[in-house]
Every structure is written in structure tokens, then in C-alpha cells.
Amino acid sequence: MRKLITFFAGLILMVLICAILAMSGAIYDTAGKSTVEQYFFQIANQPARRVGVPASPSDLGDTKLRNMLIQKYITELFYVLPDMANIDARMAGQSGLRRMSTAASFEKWKTQIAQDIQALASAHVLRTVEIDANAIFKSDDSKYTTVPYTLYTWRTPNDLSATPEITHGIILLDIFFEPTLRESDKYVEHILESGGDPATVFRFGVFDFVLE
């Protein structure tokens, strides 16, 4: 009789264990029930700054496209990262600046600006560039386009309370610009797929620049 009771008790215990395991599996089987909701992080509440369909050159217009390329060029001229490898690569021609410059203007950058960037980078300085597109102008009697710019320089690394030094300057650019692409669609695809600078696919470049 005792053996029979022990048998049924063991059987009931096994049934309870199987039921508990089944319930545990149902509760913790999240792999089969998980879902992924896709969201875009919106950088502002302004609709104009939300992710949307990229604007085409015709949508932007010739003047805005030219000003955007000028802003890109000025940024490439002056920005500083606290990273020597960055400026070394730029001086070696491994940047959009080289393709957006003639050989003469690129060498001028290396002798007049890049050496200062090297010194700042070695001192762990960060510098950003800002341009007011509305302030860009070109006189009919001059080949140069006048571009006012502002530099923000942080000389103390890893200090969130530090305020930047603000420097205002003017640069004159002798540019060429056509609101079309440099090469064929296949070349453009190659630049973009290989991680090249998208600004270099446009017919834009600088013959010369003068710092004022």
C-alpha cells in the first residue's frame, strides 16, 4: 500500500513539475514574442529639421547649392580635431578639400593654414567653423567671392563648462561653380558607395584664396 501511495505521489509531483516548466517557458519565451518598433530621432520640433526626402540640386537652387559648397570648403579649411591623424591625412590629400582645390590653392592651404592646425591638434584643441550664407557676396568688378566666417576654439579638453574663443575673419575665394555633377552617374555612385565626400561630386572648386 505504501509503495502504491509513493508511486502516485511521485506521479503527481512529476505532473506538477511539468506544468511549472510549461508555465515558465510560456512566461519567459520572449524571443518568439518580441517586436521591434522603428523610430527616427527627431533633432527638433521644427518640421523643417525632420528626416525627409533629400532635396535635389534643382530644389535647392543654384545660389543655395553654391553657398552650401562654399560653407563646406571653408569648414574643411579651418576645422580642428584633437587628433593628429586627422590633419596628417588632410595634408596628404585624403580629404574633400584636395579635390575641391586646385593644386596651387591646396599647397597654399598647407603652408598658410595647415601648420597652425597641426599645432592646435597636438595641443588637443577643438575648433569649429560657422558661416552666415546671407553674408556671402561677390562684386561685379572682382573675381573674388567674399566670405565672412566665425571660428569657435575650445582649448581645454574634456571641460563641459569651458567657453570657446570666438574669432571673426574674412576670406576671399576665386571659385568656379556649375550646378551640375562632375562625372557620370556611375562615378557619383562610386564616390558615395566608397564613403567619399559627397560635396566632391559637384562642379565646384577654388582656384585661389586670400585671407584678410
Side-chain angles (χ1 to χ4, degrees):
M1 185 68 178
R2 174 180 286 182
K3 291 183 178 180
L4 185 62
I5 293 173
T6 302
F7 171 77
F8 281 111
L11 183 62
I12 293 172
L13 183 61
M14 289 181 63
V15 171
L16 288 174
I17 291 174
C18 291
I20 292 172
L21 290 175
M23 291 177 62
S24 300
I27 293 172
Y28 293 105
D29 184 20
T30 58
K33 298 180 179 180
S34 61
T35 59
V36 177
E37 298 292 339
Q38 298 178 353
Y39 295 94
F40 282 108
F41 175 72
Q42 296 180 357
I43 58 177
N45 291 327
Q46 300 176 12
R49 300 187 66 186
R50 296 178 183 175
V51 176
V53 178
S56 66
S58 59
D59 293 333
L60 294 173
D62 296 353
T63 300
K64 187 171 183 179
L65 177 59
R66 184 207 62 174
N67 289 348
M68 290 174 67
L69 292 169
I70 288 176
Q71 180 169 359
K72 168 67 174 177
Y73 188 82
I74 301 301
T75 300
E76 289 288 325
L77 280 181
F78 293 114
Y79 85 90
V80 179
L81 294 180
D83 178 12
M84 290 299 296
N86 172 267
I87 182 57
D88 289 344
R90 289 158 67 189
M91 292 188 70
Q94 301 172 16
S95 70
L97 178 67
R98 176 62 189 91
R99 184 163 177 79
M100 297 170 75
S101 306
T102 62
S105 61
F106 183 72
E107 287 300 317
K108 192 172 186 178
W109 172 77
K110 290 173 66 175
T111 58
Q112 293 192 8
I113 300 176
Q115 293 179 4
D116 179 51
I117 294 177
Q118 279 186 317
L120 293 174
S122 65
H124 307 292
V125 171
L126 172 68
R127 185 167 72 189
T128 61
V129 186
E130 184 178 90
I131 295 169
D132 181 3
N134 295 323
I136 299 173
F137 69 93
K138 182 181 182 299
S139 301
D140 293 336
D141 58 349
S142 175
K143 68 177 182 179
Y144 289 104
T145 299
T146 301
V147 185
Y149 61 88
T150 304
L151 305 179
Y152 298 89
T153 306
W154 286 264
R155 296 186 179 274
T156 306
N158 303 319
D159 184 359
L160 297 180
S161 64
T163 56
E165 298 176 8
I166 301 176
T167 307
H168 300 281
I170 294 176
I171 187 170
L172 306 180
L173 300 179
D174 180 12
I175 69 172
F176 62 88
F177 168 69
E178 296 178 15
T180 56
L181 303 181
R182 287 179 182 263
E183 307 287 349
S184 64
D185 292 341
K186 186 175 182 180
Y187 171 81
V188 173
E189 291 177 3
H190 169 72
I191 290 293
L192 300 180
E193 291 176 357
S194 63
D197 193 330
T200 62
V201 304
F202 294 97
R203 292 186 181 275
F204 172 88
V206 176
F207 292 116
D208 188 22
F209 65 83
V210 178
L211 297 172
E212 290 197 337

